[in-house]
Amino acid sequence: MRNTLLMGFLGAVVLSMVTAPAAQAAVPLHTETGLNSLTFTFVNNDDDVTTCEAYAAGPVSFRTPSTRVPARSRTAVVFVDVPAGNYVINWACRGFAQGKRVVTVGGDPTTGTAPHQGVAPTSPGQGLATGSAGSS
C-alpha cells in the first residue's frame, strides 16, 4: 500500500512537471519593425528597477545601449537606418539572458549608413508588431 501511494505521488509530480508551462522572461521584449526601423520595448513586470540591453544580428549587427527600466513600466529604444532583412534578437537584463526571437525589417538595403538611435517613421501601416513572448 505504501509503495502504491508513493508511486501515485511520484506520478503526479512527474505529470505536473511535464505539463507545466514554459517559464516566461522576467522582462519580456516587444519588438516592432518598420521601414528600415526597429523598436525594442523592454517591459519590466518586477517591483525593482532593472537595466536591459538587446543585440540584433542580421545583415548588420548592433546593440542597444544599456537601458534603465523603472519598476512596473516599459522603456522603448528606437533604431533607424536598419538595413532590410532578417535579424536574430537576443536580450538580457541585469546580465541574465531573457530570450531570443527572429524579426524581419522591411525597406531598403541602406548602404553607407549604420543603424543608430532615432525616431521611427510614423506613416500609417509602416509598423509591424513582431510579438512580445518572453522567449522562443
Side-chain angles (χ1 to χ4, degrees):
M1 178 70 151
R2 188 173 174 179
N3 284 340
T4 303
L5 287 175
L6 181 60
M7 293 302 287
F9 174 75
L10 289 175
V13 169
V14 169
L15 180 60
S16 66
M17 289 173 60
V18 170
T19 60
Q24 290 288 340
V27 181
L29 176 72
H30 294 264
T31 53
E32 186 173 330
T33 61
L35 294 178
N36 299 111
S37 68
L38 180 54
T39 302
F40 303 90
T41 303
F42 300 102
V43 181
N44 185 359
N45 294 320
D46 199 2
D47 290 327
D48 295 320
V49 173
T50 192
T51 304
C52 299
E53 63 183 323
Y55 179 76
V60 298
S61 296
F62 59 97
R63 81 175 51 236
T64 67
S66 183
T67 304
R68 183 179 184 276
V69 187
R72 301 275 173 209
S73 67
R74 55 183 58 217
T75 301
V77 180
V78 179
F79 273 77
V80 295
D81 291 334
V82 178
N86 296 322
Y87 290 84
V88 175
I89 308 296
N90 291 285
W91 74 101
C93 298
R94 293 187 185 152
F96 294 98
Q98 297 293 307
K100 181 179 186 177
R101 73 168 46 123
V102 176
V103 299
T104 301
V105 174
D108 298 319
T110 65
T111 58
T113 62
H116 58 89
Q117 281 186 262
V119 178
T122 57
S123 298
Q126 284 189 351
L128 175 64
T130 54
S132 61
S135 60
S136 50

